[in-house]
Amino acid sequence: MTQPDTHVVILGGGFAGLAAARGLAGSGVRITLVDRENHHLFQPLLYQVATAGLSAPDIAYPIRSIFQNRPDVTVFLGEATSVDLAQRRVSGPQGSLTYDYLVLATGGVTSYFGHPEWEPFAPGLKTIGDAQRIRRHVLSAFERAEITPDTSERKKLMTLVVVGGGPTGVELAGALAELTRHVLVNDFRHIDPELARIVLLDRAERLLTMYPPDLSENARATLEAMGVEVRLKTGVVNVQQGRVDTGTEVIEAENILWAAGVGASPLTATLGVELDRAGRVKVGPDLSVPGHPEVFAIGDLAAVTDVDGQLVPGIAPAAMQMGSHVARIIREDLDSSKSEKKPRSAFDYLDKGSMATIGRSAAVFKAGPVKLTGFLAWTAWLFVHLLFLVGFRNKAVVLVQWAWNYVTYGRGARLIVRPGQE
Amino acid sequence: MTQPDTHVVILGGGFAGLAAARGLAGSGVRITLVDRENHHLFQPLLYQVATAGLSAPDIAYPIRSIFQNRPDVTVFLGEATSVDLAQRRVSGPQGSLTYDYLVLATGGVTSYFGHPEWEPFAPGLKTIGDAQRIRRHVLSAFERAEITPDTSERKKLMTLVVVGGGPTGVELAGALAELTRHVLVNDFRHIDPELARIVLLDRAERLLTMYPPDLSENARATLEAMGVEVRLKTGVVNVQQGRVDTGTEVIEAENILWAAGVGASPLTATLGVELDRAGRVKVGPDLSVPGHPEVFAIGDLAAVTDVDGQLVPGIAPAAMQMGSHVARIIREDLDSSKSEKKPRSAFDYLDKGSMATIGRSAAVFKAGPVKLTGFLAWTAWLFVHLLFLVGFRNKAVVLVQWAWNYVTYGRGARLIVRPGQE
């Protein structure tokens, strides 16, 4: 029935790529999964690593371990930098691979809206390396504030600006407020971390625009009660080292974190197919790349409208559903190749709800008509996140840490690690 | 009785420095503790971070958290680079501090026996940054071996050399053998990690020379049974990128780890007092620097012979005892300052035993006449290490991870993290 020599190349070991590889278990195809990191990352909790709530291994799991018992899956640590659709070949610095089916799932990158020169001064949050760098820089600023005799320097060191009021920006601002108000508060003798200024900027009229207005309002009120300055209708016209210019004001801040834009991985530009403004591939209803039924784009790389006309959001459950859908289509292709071709089914997104956490016991949650806020939403958030975490160890450790953090406001992970020289 | 304006400066937040600060609790002195890292490190388990058995936060704890409830202690993140004994001042890039008492506890550095040029090719293991760099480099070598078509390149990538057969070298070699034989074994499709070559070199006639000969022999036999090539009476005459020259042979190895020498922190050279060959301060019986009763050198920084004529080993329990001793002397000084001076007591080392672990269920342990090997020694080792770990969270997490690792040979911590650009 199946062709044992069919080679499926999956680029990216995120939620989408893993779901595709899992969905192909036992199908008889040979799978090569390529990722430039050696670990799958539980990206929804990455902001916790940046704000010293969790440590890297709690939310990252080696991809090789995930496929230890899947001899049909070969994992390569490497980067694909171009795709040759005509030759059915992907290439990168480590070599090239030919494929029968290709699944593009390399995810998103931080986008600076045409200002890549801002990146060094306002880091984004996409990898464990990004998160550790932000943590190091935030914690070091407080250490320097404790030593400096200069008042205006101290003020700058204790100011943090988060650009972007989507889920990541809201989560970062909330976690930074808790870090300074509850965790660092007893650590210093010369400064008062409670006086740290946390500013959340967004050019929209409200936070979390993908949620209903009353949830946006709840998020704003909750953040302000936690001590965050929320500035809406406020864009950014320039970013320099330690300075954000909003057009009407210049904010001096040692730490500027960028949570404003997500673009598709630059790999899409090498395909020669139509992309949307964010660089995402405009896929067909079956998630294939137009004109290439053997190539699929899924996850944050793809601009997808599902069978009901619903715009599919860039969240983990959607990415996983896309991965499973593609695996099903490849299986059906192989099964029907000896008989008549059946038309491929269109992707149908099942909205299981989405949520953003705001702080220690507050979140907003929506699933269809259901809306939750506050502690109830937070509990739902915690439960769903733990449920999704890959690997037993991570679940157990995250649970222990969460419980401990919850009771003590402790932050066992707040290490400043100076990277070893290469 | 006490003088509230007495200022004690402690340089170093390792076992020795922490014990000194703890011993001075409630004494009425003002304490400033300076460390260039923001965390206390449980150094005996550092090799586990380098070999992906534990993650950094499991063995490191923020110093500020330790002294959160000690308003008499101020912590500075910084480095003291010189001491002016005459002016009673320590200085560094961040500024200078004057002291009434000074406790030098900045520990040891990796020593290359007059060959600092070998350092880039054979990293030592002293900080979390060192350990993460080694882990990244070791795991990346296997990833590259999986891809390369070149047989001799693959062999080199899968060869690891550990230089030095003391406790750190034995622990590293044993942990690397387990990592390759048990943990990585099912992860790859093109290479067999079991074929990785692990070579342990030492110029002495036996491993662990500070232990009785039968324990050294046990360690050698255990390591060889685990697949480690133990080469005794084998020195190193040159190290280059990926090459170790022993004088009779050149070993090509992508990873060369240096566990051969420990020298004192370079700070001692600025004191202008007599040092031993390793750069350690030759302290008096009370652990003070000769001619300066207000200055103490403790831990790996000091060459100490105790009241019984016993050479005090460079291990954590000894460092902690020295810290407590110094705290006691400072208290007695302050108490007796208004009455007649009592002579200071001499440091008396209490040997509670020392041990080195060889692998998953083997170790060697000695305490006076008591000698243990194998599983019994390993159990003792585990118990003692968990007992000593600072902070509840670390204890709980390390225990969970140990239990989980023990049952599954899992290595949840084997992440390759590319450090964020600065």
Side-chain angles (χ1 to χ4, degrees):
Chain A
M1 245 174 24
T2 61
Q3 301 164 310
D5 56 342
T6 300
H7 185 209
V8 179
V9 172
I10 300 174
L11 302 184
F15 289 107
L18 285 194
R22 282 186 166 151
L24 288 168
S27 68
V29 301
R30 187 164 56 87
I31 298 169
T32 303
L33 192 149
V34 182
D35 200 294
R36 57 183 193 151
E37 307 281 0
N38 84 329
H39 47 269
H40 170 70
L41 178 62
F42 193 80
Q43 211 144 10
L45 286 177
L46 192 56
Y47 79 97
Q48 285 275 352
V49 174
T51 55
L54 293 172
S55 64
D58 297 330
I59 64 157
Y61 204 78
I63 296 172
R64 292 198 181 283
S65 307
I66 297 170
F67 295 107
Q68 227 172 21
N69 302 317
R70 286 278 303 274
D72 55 322
V73 178
T74 299
V75 177
F76 281 137
L77 181 68
E79 192 166 6
T81 47
S82 70
V83 178
D84 184 335
L85 292 174
Q87 300 290 323
R88 299 194 176 186
R89 196 202 325 264
V90 296
S91 304
Q94 287 86 18
S96 64
L97 289 166
T98 55
Y99 59 82
D100 298 303
Y101 286 96
L102 176 64
V103 180
L104 299 166
T106 47
V109 295
T110 303
S111 161
Y112 291 83
F113 304 126
H115 290 283
E117 73 275 15
W118 297 351
E119 198 275 333
F121 315 125
L125 188 59
K126 277 284 162 197
T127 67
I128 289 277
D130 291 341
Q132 289 183 339
R133 167 197 184 193
I134 288 173
R135 178 169 70 193
R136 193 162 63 234
H137 205 233
V138 168
L139 294 176
S140 296
F142 284 90
E143 296 289 343
R144 283 157 60 205
E146 173 84 346
I147 292 174
T148 186
D150 180 331
T151 315
S152 71
E153 172 75 5
R154 191 180 311 130
K155 201 175 148 200
K156 179 182 172 183
L157 287 166
M158 291 173 69
T159 302
L160 301 105
V161 172
V162 178
V163 182
T168 303
V170 166
E171 287 168 346
L172 265 177
L176 288 172
E178 296 200 327
L179 179 69
T180 55
R181 266 71 177 162
H182 296 290
V183 181
L184 298 181
V185 68
N186 296 316
D187 278 2
F188 294 88
R189 301 289 169 258
H190 298 168
I191 59 166
D192 181 356
E194 280 196 77
L195 299 179
R197 189 177 166 211
I198 296 152
V199 185
L200 177 63
L201 304 177
D202 199 289
R203 55 183 171 184
E205 295 208 340
R206 57 186 181 97
L207 299 173
L208 304 172
T209 48
M210 67 294 291
Y211 287 79
D214 53 337
L215 294 191
S216 297
E217 179 49 27
N218 180 278
R220 188 194 59 72
T222 307
L223 283 174
E224 288 185 346
M226 292 165 74
V228 176
E229 291 177 36
V230 179
R231 304 260 192 102
L232 299 170
K233 294 183 257 182
T234 307
V236 168
V237 299
N238 195 17
V239 181
Q240 291 168 289
Q241 175 71 52
R243 294 162 65 94
V244 183
D245 188 346
T246 68
T248 56
E249 187 195 3
V250 172
I251 306 175
E252 302 255 333
E254 181 66 18
N255 279 283
I256 305 162
L257 310 182
W258 192 264
V262 177
S265 153
L267 187 65
T268 59
T270 72
L271 293 170
V273 299
E274 199 190 349
L275 306 178
D276 76 353
R277 234 168 50 98
R280 294 179 301 179
V281 180
K282 292 188 174 178
V283 293
D286 63 344
L287 305 179
S288 71
V289 172
H292 290 275
E294 77 286 5
V295 181
F296 301 89
I298 58 178
D300 287 351
L301 196 77
V304 184
T305 308
D306 87 341
V307 67
D308 308 320
Q310 189 180 13
L311 256 171
V312 182
I315 60 177
M320 293 165 88
Q321 290 178 31
M322 292 188 219
S324 302
H325 182 79
V326 164
R328 203 176 313 120
I329 286 183
I330 294 176
R331 282 172 174 277
E332 286 172 359
D333 260 20
L334 297 174
D335 284 351
S336 65
S337 57
K338 287 183 183 156
S339 55
E340 82 286 8
K341 286 268 178 206
K342 277 188 291 184
R344 287 178 170 186
S345 57
F347 177 63
D348 187 9
Y349 173 54
L350 175 63
D351 183 4
K352 293 179 180 167
S354 60
M355 48 192 122
T357 176
I358 306 166
R360 194 171 173 255
S361 54
V364 294
F365 172 89
K366 67 152 180 141
V370 179
K371 296 186 285 186
L372 297 176
T373 59
F375 185 70
L376 205 61
W378 186 83
T379 312
W381 176 89
L382 184 60
F383 181 75
V384 170
H385 279 74
L386 288 175
L387 208 71
F388 268 105
L389 276 176
V390 177
F392 164 86
R393 180 202 154 265
N394 287 19
K395 264 180 214 165
V397 173
V398 171
L399 196 60
V400 167
Q401 287 207 212
W402 266 101
W404 184 241
N405 283 351
Y406 192 80
V407 176
T408 64
Y409 276 119
R411 281 291 191 277
R414 63 177 185 280
L415 302 182
I416 301 174
V417 175
R418 298 175 304 156
Q421 268 85 46
E422 288 299 328
Chain B
M1 238 167 42
T2 60
Q3 301 163 311
D5 56 340
T6 300
H7 185 209
V8 179
V9 172
I10 301 174
L11 302 183
F15 289 107
L18 284 194
R22 282 186 164 151
L24 287 168
S27 67
V29 301
R30 186 163 57 87
I31 299 170
T32 303
L33 193 149
V34 182
D35 200 296
R36 55 182 193 153
E37 307 281 1
N38 84 329
H39 48 267
H40 169 70
L41 178 63
F42 193 80
Q43 209 142 13
L45 286 178
L46 192 56
Y47 79 97
Q48 286 275 352
V49 175
T51 55
L54 292 173
S55 65
D58 298 330
I59 64 157
Y61 203 77
I63 296 173
R64 293 196 182 281
S65 306
I66 297 171
F67 294 108
Q68 228 172 20
N69 301 316
R70 285 279 302 275
D72 56 321
V73 178
T74 300
V75 177
F76 281 139
L77 180 68
E79 191 166 7
T81 48
S82 71
V83 178
D84 184 335
L85 291 175
Q87 300 291 323
R88 299 195 176 184
R89 195 198 329 261
V90 296
S91 305
Q94 287 85 17
S96 65
L97 289 166
T98 56
Y99 60 80
D100 298 305
Y101 286 96
L102 175 65
V103 181
L104 299 165
T106 47
V109 295
T110 304
S111 162
Y112 291 84
F113 305 127
H115 289 282
E117 72 276 13
W118 297 351
E119 198 275 332
F121 316 124
L125 188 58
K126 278 285 164 197
T127 67
I128 289 278
D130 292 342
Q132 291 183 338
R133 168 197 182 191
I134 288 172
R135 179 169 71 194
R136 191 162 64 234
H137 204 233
V138 167
L139 294 177
S140 297
F142 284 90
E143 295 290 342
R144 285 156 60 204
E146 173 84 345
I147 293 174
T148 186
D150 179 331
T151 316
S152 70
E153 173 73 6
R154 190 180 311 130
K155 200 174 147 197
K156 180 182 171 183
L157 286 167
M158 292 174 67
T159 302
L160 301 105
V161 173
V162 178
V163 182
T168 302
V170 166
E171 287 168 345
L172 266 177
L176 289 172
E178 295 199 329
L179 179 69
T180 54
R181 267 70 179 163
H182 296 289
V183 180
L184 298 182
V185 68
N186 296 316
D187 277 2
F188 295 87
R189 300 290 170 257
H190 299 167
I191 60 166
D192 181 355
E194 279 197 77
L195 300 179
R197 187 176 168 213
I198 296 151
V199 185
L200 177 62
L201 303 177
D202 198 288
R203 56 183 171 183
E205 296 207 342
R206 58 187 179 94
L207 299 173
L208 303 173
T209 48
M210 67 295 290
Y211 287 79
D214 52 339
L215 294 191
S216 299
E217 178 50 27
N218 180 280
R220 189 195 57 73
T222 307
L223 282 173
E224 288 185 347
M226 291 165 74
V228 176
E229 291 178 36
V230 179
R231 304 263 192 99
L232 299 170
K233 294 182 259 183
T234 306
V236 168
V237 300
N238 196 17
V239 181
Q240 291 168 287
Q241 175 70 52
R243 294 163 64 94
V244 183
D245 188 346
T246 69
T248 55
E249 186 194 4
V250 172
I251 307 174
E252 301 255 334
E254 181 66 18
N255 278 283
I256 305 163
L257 310 182
W258 193 264
V262 177
S265 152
L267 186 66
T268 59
T270 72
L271 293 170
V273 301
E274 199 188 349
L275 306 177
D276 76 353
R277 233 168 50 99
R280 294 179 301 179
V281 179
K282 292 187 173 178
V283 293
D286 63 346
L287 305 179
S288 71
V289 173
H292 290 275
E294 77 285 5
V295 181
F296 302 89
I298 58 178
D300 288 351
L301 196 77
V304 184
T305 308
D306 88 341
V307 66
D308 307 322
Q310 190 180 10
L311 257 172
V312 181
I315 60 177
M320 293 165 90
Q321 290 178 31
M322 291 188 219
S324 303
H325 182 80
V326 164
R328 203 176 313 120
I329 286 184
I330 294 176
R331 282 170 173 279
E332 288 172 358
D333 260 22
L334 297 174
D335 285 350
S336 65
S337 58
K338 288 185 182 156
S339 56
E340 81 287 7
K341 287 268 177 205
K342 278 188 289 184
R344 287 177 170 186
S345 56
F347 178 64
D348 187 7
Y349 173 56
L350 175 63
D351 183 3
K352 292 179 179 167
S354 60
M355 50 190 119
T357 177
I358 305 165
R360 194 171 173 256
S361 54
V364 295
F365 172 90
K366 71 157 177 134
V370 179
K371 296 185 286 189
L372 298 176
T373 59
F375 185 71
L376 206 60
W378 185 84
T379 312
W381 176 88
L382 183 60
F383 181 75
V384 169
H385 278 73
L386 288 175
L387 208 70
F388 268 105
L389 276 178
V390 178
F392 164 87
R393 180 202 155 263
N394 288 19
K395 262 179 211 162
V397 174
V398 170
L399 195 61
V400 168
Q401 288 208 210
W402 266 103
W404 184 241
N405 283 350
Y406 190 80
V407 176
T408 62
Y409 275 118
R411 280 292 191 276
R414 62 176 184 280
L415 302 182
I416 301 175
V417 175
R418 298 175 304 155
Q421 267 85 47
E422 288 298 330

